Amino acid sequence: MRTLRQPANVVAPLLFPMLLLAVNSGGLAAETNLSGFPTNSFVAFALAVPFIQGALFATMNAGTDLARDIQTGFLNRLSLTPMRGIALLAGQLGGVVVLGLVQTTVYLAVGLAVGVHIESGVAGVLVLFAFALLVALGFGALGTFAALRTGSGEAVQSLFPAFFVFLFISSMNIPRNLIETSWFRDLATANPVSYLLECVRSLIITGWDGEALALGFGIAAAIAVAALALSTWALRVRMARS
């Protein structure tokens, strides 16, 4: 029998990003006084971070659960039934997508509660939900790929710190054009996570920025397509071994 998903797997993606948002908003609020800063509300600027940080948890959630299925032999038993393995993969990713939508609802509710105004309006909120769904799907598929290739929950969890580094060398705390240290600005510019953040930020702060939306959705779609293709291939390899 499969083990139930641990409560921490659900609580952490909701609670930890909110704690980081509170810490950053309290410590970095003075940035709004910089010339060229896009808003006078640092909370509005930083609200994009939980969306992407929460998606990173999708890597662990989907991958760890699938790795547990492999380690307990559930996937091997599944290969003896008429059920196709792809259904298991779809189930894992479906759960990640639902959690991503819940996260988006919570983050938006918190933002609105503290006075953040969504400049893109109701249509922008719908686009934000679509983007969150795509990002959660992409990072969740990366987690399932890692699980299928390694069969180890520990190996999947080790990916989280590596992805977290990408978050910290992005434009998460300051716009790229205001970063004075050239090497850090160059890294943030080359980092795809910056464009995921800026896509969310454009809907909250700017209103409608075609370039930011195109870059964000394009990168998120590329991650999702590549990760799904890799996961499907890894699943076939894994099932062939079973």
Side-chain angles (χ1 to χ4, degrees):
M1 179 179 296
R2 295 184 64 187
T3 56
L4 295 176
R5 179 187 294 267
Q6 297 178 2
N9 285 5
V10 177
V11 175
L14 296 175
L15 182 60
F16 186 73
M18 287 290 94
L19 292 175
L20 186 60
L21 174 65
V23 170
N24 286 346
S25 298
L28 300 174
E31 280 188 11
T32 58
N33 297 322
L34 293 173
S35 177
F37 199 83
T39 177
N40 58 6
S41 169
F42 189 82
V43 176
F45 179 83
L47 190 59
V49 177
F51 284 91
I52 307 306
Q53 187 181 10
L56 297 182
F57 279 98
T59 305
M60 277 202 312
N61 287 347
T64 302
D65 287 343
L66 184 54
R68 188 182 301 118
D69 290 337
I70 294 171
Q71 290 174 321
T72 58
F74 176 79
L75 198 65
N76 289 341
R77 294 193 296 274
L78 183 67
S79 66
L80 302 177
T81 71
M83 181 179 177
R84 299 185 63 182
I86 195 68
L88 175 63
L89 185 61
Q92 294 286 354
L93 294 178
V96 166
V97 167
V98 171
L99 180 58
L101 295 178
V102 172
Q103 289 173 323
T104 301
T105 302
V106 171
Y107 301 153
L108 278 174
V110 170
L112 293 173
V114 298
V116 173
H117 177 69
I118 309 299
E119 291 295 332
S120 56
V122 176
V125 171
L126 295 177
V127 172
L128 194 53
F129 271 97
F131 183 71
L133 184 153
L134 184 61
V135 171
L137 178 64
F139 280 102
L142 285 176
T144 57
F145 168 67
L148 289 165
R149 287 300 292 162
T150 65
S152 167
E154 292 77 10
V156 174
Q157 291 171 3
S158 70
L159 292 176
F160 183 75
F163 287 149
F164 213 61
V165 170
F166 278 90
L167 189 62
F168 276 99
I169 59 174
S170 70
S171 57
M172 67 173 285
N173 289 325
I174 189 170
R176 283 181 293 123
N177 63 305
L178 297 183
I179 300 175
E180 296 184 351
T181 305
S182 59
W183 66 265
F184 189 86
R185 182 175 61 250
D186 292 341
L187 285 176
T189 299
N191 185 355
V193 173
S194 291
Y195 303 100
L196 300 179
L197 289 166
E198 290 163 14
C199 180
V200 175
R201 201 167 279 153
S202 70
L203 293 168
I204 296 173
I205 296 174
T206 307
W208 296 98
D209 183 333
E211 181 180 358
L213 289 172
L215 285 170
F217 271 93
I219 290 172
I223 292 172
V225 169
L228 286 170
L230 288 170
S231 292
T232 303
W233 168 76
L235 177 64
R236 287 199 301 267
V237 173
R238 173 68 63 174
M239 295 298 282
R241 295 174 181 172
S242 301

